[in-house]
Amino acid sequence: MSQVRVLYLAGSGRSGSTLVTTVLGQLPGFFAAGELRYLWRRGILENRPCGCGSPVADCPLWARVRADLTDADPAGIAARLAERLRLRRLPALLRRHRRGLPPVAGHPDDTHLARLYAAIAEHALGGRSDGVIVDSSKLPPYGALLGGLPGIDLYVLHVVRDPRATAYSWRRRRPLDGRPDDQLMSRPPVGKAALLWLVWNTATVRLWGGRRAPGRYLRVRYEDFVADPAGATARIAGFVGASPAELPFPTPNTVRLTPTHSVAGNPSRHRTGLVDVVADTEWLTGLPTRAYAVVTGLTAVALSRFGYPLRRPPATSPAARFGADPVVSPSPATRQEG
């Protein structure tokens, strides 16, 4: 079986993975797949919109991919994946990893998962050997599962954001697939959001950081990405062995986005056109003092590791939202956060 190169974005939610994925999807040979672990339920069973705007069942690309998966059981795979990747299984997963065993025990469903990525490589990337599938599923156990599948050549991009910013972002009321959707994304309390940030980012480091996966792990902070999006994009592309001749940035802080075929993720994945890449700093003044203290206290052990201060930094730039309601700037671009 030929190898399928997968760039897996790992970490916690609301860390800018949608922005990074969408930008990478503009590069030649890169396919922005979105959160592929949700394909079976949100894409196939619930028929939610593809990044191109069409329901997944009506998207010609996903129709070709699904034609290679006709013997799969989407409902069963979705339910079993959710069970196999539950948080309570993480300690056992890390123990298996330390002993050199596959972190996630094998299952017959894995044949269908491997076939999914092979089908995407064939139909979205034309089978090109230098193609890259960008999977923003984020959950470390799913990345560990992918790394053990036959035919998967896994690279891990660890996207990190200040936990106070992610906790604030989770407070926003946000439709799952944009304004027309009456189903809202989950809104965990700040304490739970902080603990999830700590667990998933720590697990990502334990699985791939340091010398555990030499040449296969790269960490990028959201704050550094929005400060220099072109430089960060070039660095990520180089990490997987690509050297695009041109990047989609007409100006240092503006990106030109065309539709992708991402199957799940932040509703900002549907945005196209010229987009201002601006840091979202609304949390610096919007996150209440008590909530700031709770998140800081719960994540303090990891803050310095990722380069974040304990004290609240000053608000130095205007807020912008990527993934909430569009904020139209005076220029033709739409301001987006990540």
Side-chain angles (χ1 to χ4, degrees), residues 265-290:
N266 191 296
S268 57
R269 64 195 172 93
H270 298 293
R271 302 233 180 118
T272 58
L274 287 177
V275 173
D276 289 336
V277 182
V278 183
D280 175 8
T281 57
E282 184 177 302
W283 67 276
L284 290 172
T285 55
L287 187 65
T289 300
R290 177 178 172 80

Side-chain angles (χ1 to χ4, degrees), residues 32-244:
E35 299 181 18
L36 277 174
R37 67 186 172 100
Y38 288 126
L39 169 69
W40 309 99
R41 182 165 302 283
R42 293 187 188 174
I44 297 178
L45 297 176
E46 298 177 1
N47 197 28
R48 290 189 165 274
C50 169
C52 69
S54 299
V56 167
D58 298 332
C59 172
L61 172 64
W62 287 110
R64 294 194 294 273
V65 171
R66 291 180 60 189
D68 290 348
L69 304 170
T70 52
D71 57 340
D73 169 23
I77 292 174
R80 288 186 291 271
L81 263 183
E83 177 60 29
R84 296 172 71 193
L85 305 177
R86 291 187 66 174
L87 178 60
R88 63 180 175 83
R89 294 182 179 271
L90 183 60
L93 181 151
L94 293 174
R95 286 196 300 270
R96 291 175 60 88
H97 177 68
R98 285 195 299 268
R99 296 200 299 264
L101 300 172
V104 181
H107 189 279
D109 287 343
D110 294 348
T111 299
H112 302 295
L113 296 178
R115 190 179 304 158
L116 166 64
Y117 289 83
I120 293 172
E122 178 180 353
H123 299 295
L125 296 170
R128 53 187 294 176
S129 59
D130 61 344
V132 180
I133 297 173
V134 184
D135 184 341
S136 55
S137 292
K138 291 187 290 295
L139 201 65
Y142 185 67
L145 170 59
L146 289 186
L149 294 182
I152 299 292
D153 185 17
L154 188 71
Y155 290 76
V156 176
L157 177 63
H158 186 183
V159 181
V160 185
R161 187 182 184 188
D162 191 304
R164 283 73 60 104
T166 63
Y168 182 80
S169 182
W170 280 116
R171 291 162 57 95
R172 292 171 174 157
R173 297 183 65 84
R174 186 168 295 175
L176 195 59
D177 272 304
R179 283 182 175 177
D181 197 345
D182 58 2
Q183 183 175 341
L184 298 177
M185 301 181 76
S186 61
R187 298 176 68 205
V190 292
K192 181 177 180 180
L195 288 173
L196 289 174
W197 181 94
L198 180 63
V199 168
W200 293 136
N201 283 297
T202 300
T204 300
V205 173
R206 292 282 181 87
L207 286 167
W208 298 288
R211 299 179 180 178
R212 295 173 178 86
R216 298 300 177 120
Y217 171 86
L218 175 67
R219 185 187 305 159
V220 172
R221 300 193 316 169
Y222 159 81
E223 294 83 1
D224 298 328
F225 187 92
V226 296
D228 180 17
T233 299
R235 182 185 177 203
I236 295 167
F239 167 59
V240 292
S243 53

